[in-house]
C-alpha cells in the first residue's frame, strides 16, 4: 500500500514537470513570434512609403479624342531651322513651371518613377527610383548621375522651332520647354536616338506606347499653336487608327506672342529725310505734301515749305 502511494506521487510529480516544460516552450514560441512581427512591420511601412506600385510615365490624357485633335492642327511644311538654339530660344536649364520650388526635371522624375528616394527633406531632388520605361518597355533601376534616364521633350524643341515655335514669344517657348505635358522620363538611349525627329521620322520601339506618345505630341502642338507636316499627320493617323478611343489632353491654344518670324533679323527702320530732293526756289509755291519740310536753294541756303501770318499759301520761306 505504501509502495503504491509512493508510485502515484512520483507519477504526479512527473506530470507537473511536463506541464511546466510545455508552458515554457509555448511562452518562448509566443515571444519569438512577437519578435518576428515587430521586425517585419518597418519593412512593410518602408515599402509603402517609397511607392512600390508600378507607375505609368507621362501626363494624363483625359480630353477629346486624339483623332479630332489631330484633324484640328494646321498642316504646313517645315520652316527653316535657321536661328535655332536650345538655350537661346527655349531657355537655359530647367525652370519651376508649377511654382512648387522644384525644377521640372525633378518633378518629372518623381511623377514617372516608383520606389523613389530623395536626397533632401523637402522631397525635391531624387537620389534613386525605378522607371518602367514606356519607350522601350524595360525596367530601369535609376540612380542620380547614372546617365540611364533622360527627360524627353515629347515634341522635340527643334521640331517645335520649325513647326511654329519661331512665332512664339521667348516666355512662351520657355513654357513649352518646361510644361509637364511635354515632358516624360525615358531611357536615355531612346531619347538620344529620337533627337529632333517628328512622328513620321521616329516612333518608340515599344508599340503599345505609341498611341499615348503621338496623342501627347498633338496635345502639345494644339496647346502651343504648332503645325504638323503632311507626312507627320499621316504617320500619327496610322497609329491612332489602331486605337480610335485614345484621348488627347484637354488644352486651350495660346496666341503666339512673338514676331511673324523671329529667326529673321528685323529690317532697320527707314529714316525719313526732312529735306526734299533737288533745289528749291525761294518764294516759289510748294506742295501740300512738302508742308513743314525743308529745301536748299542753289546758293545752299535752307528754306521751309510753309505759310505766313498774312499769306496762308505754302511757299518756300526763310
Amino acid at each position: 500500500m505504501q509502495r503504491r502511494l509512493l508510485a502515484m506521487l512520483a507519477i504526479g510529480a512527473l506530470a507537473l514537470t511536463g506541464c511546466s516544460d510545455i508552458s515554457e516552450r509555448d511562452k518562448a514560441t509566443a515571444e519569438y513570434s512577437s519578435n518576428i512581427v515587430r521586425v517585419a512591420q518597418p519593412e512593410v511601412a518602408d515599402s509603402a512609403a517609397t511607392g512600390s506600385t508600378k507607375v505609368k510615365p507621362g501626363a494624363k490624357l483625359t480630353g477629346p479624342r486624339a483623332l479630332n485633335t489631330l484633324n484640328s492642327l494646321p498642316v504646313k511644311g517645315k520652316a527653316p531651322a535657321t536661328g535655332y538654339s536650345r538655350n537661346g530660344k527655349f531657355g537655359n536649364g530647367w525652370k519651376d513651371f508649377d511654382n512648387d520650388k522644384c525644377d521640372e526635371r525633378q518633378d518629372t522624375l518623381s511623377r514617372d518613377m516608383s520606389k523613389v528616394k530623395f536626397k533632401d527633406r523637402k522631397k525635391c531632388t531624387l537620389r534613386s527610383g525605378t522607371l518602367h520605361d514606356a519607350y522601350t518597355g524595360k525596367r530601369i533601376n535609376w540612380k542620380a548621375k547614372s546617365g540611364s534616364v533622360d527627360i524627353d521633350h515629347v515634341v522635340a524643341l527643334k521640331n517645335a522651332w520649325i513647326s511654329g515655335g519661331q512665332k512664339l514669344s521667348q516666355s512662351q517657348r520657355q513654357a513649352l520647354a518646361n510644361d509637364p505635358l511635354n515632358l516624360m522620363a525615358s531611357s536615355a538611349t531612346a531619347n538620344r536616338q529620337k533627337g529632333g525627329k517628328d512622328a513620321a521620322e521616329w516612333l518608340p520601339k515599344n508599340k503599345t506606347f505609341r498611341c499615348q506618345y503621338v496623342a501627347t505630341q498633338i496635345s502639345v502642338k494644339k496647346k502651343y499653336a504648332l503645325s504638323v507636316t503632311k507626312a507627320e499627320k499621316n504617320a500619327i493617323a496610322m497609329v491612332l487608327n489602331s486605337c480610335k478611343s485614345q484621348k488627347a489632353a484637354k488644352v486651350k491654344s495660346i496666341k503666339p506672342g512673338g514676331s511673324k518670324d523671329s529667326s529673321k533679323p528685323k529690317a532697320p527702320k527707314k529714316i525719313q529725310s526732312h529735306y526734299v530732293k533737288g533745289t528749291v526756289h525761294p518764294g516759289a509755291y510748294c506742295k501740300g505734301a512738302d508742308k513743314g519740310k525743308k529745301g536748299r536753294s542753289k546758293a545752299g541756303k535752307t528754306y521751309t515749305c510753309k505759310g505766313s501770318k498774312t499769306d496762308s499759301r505754302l511757299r518756300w520761306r526763310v
Side-chain angles (χ1 to χ4, degrees), residues 128-179:
S128 64
T130 298
L131 175 68
H132 293 274
D133 180 40
Y135 287 67
T136 62
K138 297 179 180 179
R139 186 179 73 178
I140 301 174
N141 293 319
W142 171 84
K143 291 183 180 180
K145 298 183 179 180
S146 65
S148 59
V149 171
D150 282 351
I151 302 301
D152 178 45
H153 288 97
V154 184
V155 173
L157 299 184
K158 187 174 183 179
N159 180 260
W161 178 252
I162 63 177
S163 61
Q166 297 173 18
K167 297 180 182 180
L168 301 176
S169 67
Q170 183 71 6
S171 61
Q172 287 173 334
R173 287 194 293 266
Q174 286 186 352
L176 187 155
N178 290 275
D179 191 333

Side-chain angles (χ1 to χ4, degrees), residues 89-159:
K89 299 301 182 182
F90 291 88
N92 187 10
W94 295 99
K95 310 300 179 187
D96 180 10
F97 186 83
D98 54 4
N99 297 315
D100 66 350
K101 298 183 180 179
C102 298
D103 68 51
E104 290 312 312
R105 172 179 168 77
Q106 299 300 327
D107 280 348
T108 304
L109 289 172
S110 180
R111 179 195 69 187
D112 291 351
M113 287 186 174
S114 60
K115 299 182 180 179
V116 295
K117 294 183 179 179
F118 297 89
K119 291 182 179 180
D120 54 350
R121 289 184 178 179
K122 68 175 184 176
K123 294 187 177 181
C124 183
T125 306
L126 271 70
R127 183 171 71 243
S128 64
T130 298
L131 175 68
H132 293 274
D133 180 40
Y135 287 67
T136 62
K138 297 179 180 179
R139 186 179 73 178
I140 301 174
N141 293 319
W142 171 84
K143 291 183 180 180
K145 298 183 179 180
S146 65
S148 59
V149 171
D150 282 351
I151 302 301
D152 178 45
H153 288 97
V154 184
V155 173
L157 299 184
K158 187 174 183 179
N159 180 260

Side-chain angles (χ1 to χ4, degrees), residues 241-277:
N241 280 328
S242 68
C243 48
K244 293 183 178 180
S245 61
Q246 173 67 52
K247 292 184 177 181
K250 186 178 181 180
V251 297
K252 183 178 180 181
S253 298
I254 67 169
K255 183 178 180 181
S259 62
K260 290 185 178 179
D261 187 352
S262 58
S263 67
K264 296 180 181 179
K266 293 181 180 179
K269 291 182 179 179
K270 293 182 178 180
I271 301 174
Q272 293 184 348
S273 173
H274 292 294
Y275 283 82
V276 297
K277 292 181 180 180

Side-chain angles (χ1 to χ4, degrees), residues 11-315:
I11 292 170
L14 287 171
L16 288 172
T17 302
C19 289
S20 176
D21 288 345
I22 293 170
S23 178
E24 289 299 323
R25 284 197 298 272
D26 290 345
K27 183 178 179 182
T29 302
E31 185 175 352
Y32 177 69
S33 300
S34 177
N35 287 337
I36 291 175
V37 172
R38 285 197 295 272
V39 171
Q41 282 176 340
E43 293 179 353
V44 173
D46 184 63
S47 176
T50 55
S52 59
T53 305
K54 182 178 178 180
V55 174
K56 182 181 179 181
K60 292 182 179 180
L61 305 175
T62 57
R65 288 179 66 227
L67 279 168
N68 293 343
T69 299
L70 173 64
N71 291 328
S72 71
L73 296 177
V75 180
K76 296 181 180 179
K78 294 178 180 179
T82 308
Y84 171 72
S85 166
R86 196 283 184 217
N87 293 340
K89 299 301 182 182
F90 291 88
N92 187 10
W94 295 99
K95 310 300 179 187
D96 180 10
F97 186 83
D98 54 4
N99 297 315
D100 66 350
K101 298 183 180 179
C102 298
D103 68 51
E104 290 312 312
R105 172 179 168 77
Q106 299 300 327
D107 280 348
T108 304
L109 289 172
S110 180
R111 179 195 69 187
D112 291 351
M113 287 186 174
S114 60
K115 299 182 180 179
V116 295
K117 294 183 179 179
F118 297 89
K119 291 182 179 180
D120 54 350
R121 289 184 178 179
K122 68 175 184 176
K123 294 187 177 181
C124 183
T125 306
L126 271 70
R127 183 171 71 243
S128 64
T130 298
L131 175 68
H132 293 274
D133 180 40
Y135 287 67
T136 62
K138 297 179 180 179
R139 186 179 73 178
I140 301 174
N141 293 319
W142 171 84
K143 291 183 180 180
K145 298 183 179 180
S146 65
S148 59
V149 171
D150 282 351
I151 302 301
D152 178 45
H153 288 97
V154 184
V155 173
L157 299 184
K158 187 174 183 179
N159 180 260
W161 178 252
I162 63 177
S163 61
Q166 297 173 18
K167 297 180 182 180
L168 301 176
S169 67
Q170 183 71 6
S171 61
Q172 287 173 334
R173 287 194 293 266
Q174 286 186 352
L176 187 155
N178 290 275
D179 191 333
L181 176 62
N182 194 33
L183 302 178
M184 193 177 298
S186 71
S187 155
T189 302
N191 179 48
R192 293 164 198 179
Q193 287 174 348
K194 170 187 171 179
K197 300 180 181 73
D198 63 28
E201 301 162 331
W202 187 90
L203 287 170
K205 184 178 180 181
N206 181 15
K207 292 183 179 180
T208 60
F209 169 61
R210 290 180 178 179
C211 288
Q212 179 190 348
Y213 176 75
V214 297
T216 304
Q217 280 193 329
I218 59 177
S219 299
V220 173
K221 291 206 165 190
K222 179 71 174 178
K223 183 174 181 178
Y224 289 94
L226 304 177
S227 61
V228 290
T229 65
K230 185 176 180 181
E232 184 183 2
K233 182 176 182 178
N234 290 341
I236 294 173
M238 187 176 294
V239 173
L240 292 178
N241 280 328
S242 68
C243 48
K244 293 183 178 180
S245 61
Q246 173 67 52
K247 292 184 177 181
K250 186 178 181 180
V251 297
K252 183 178 180 181
S253 298
I254 67 169
K255 183 178 180 181
S259 62
K260 290 185 178 179
D261 187 352
S262 58
S263 67
K264 296 180 181 179
K266 293 181 180 179
K269 291 182 179 179
K270 293 182 178 180
I271 301 174
Q272 293 184 348
S273 173
H274 292 294
Y275 283 82
V276 297
K277 292 181 180 180
T279 58
V280 300
H281 300 282
Y285 292 112
C286 53
K287 300 176 182 179
D290 292 334
K291 183 179 180 180
K293 292 184 179 180
K294 299 181 183 298
R296 289 190 176 92
S297 67
K298 286 184 179 180
K301 191 174 181 179
T302 300
Y303 294 85
T304 303
C305 179
K306 61 182 180 179
S308 68
K309 291 181 180 180
T310 58
D311 183 5
S312 61
R313 289 176 294 179
L314 298 176
R315 294 176 183 269

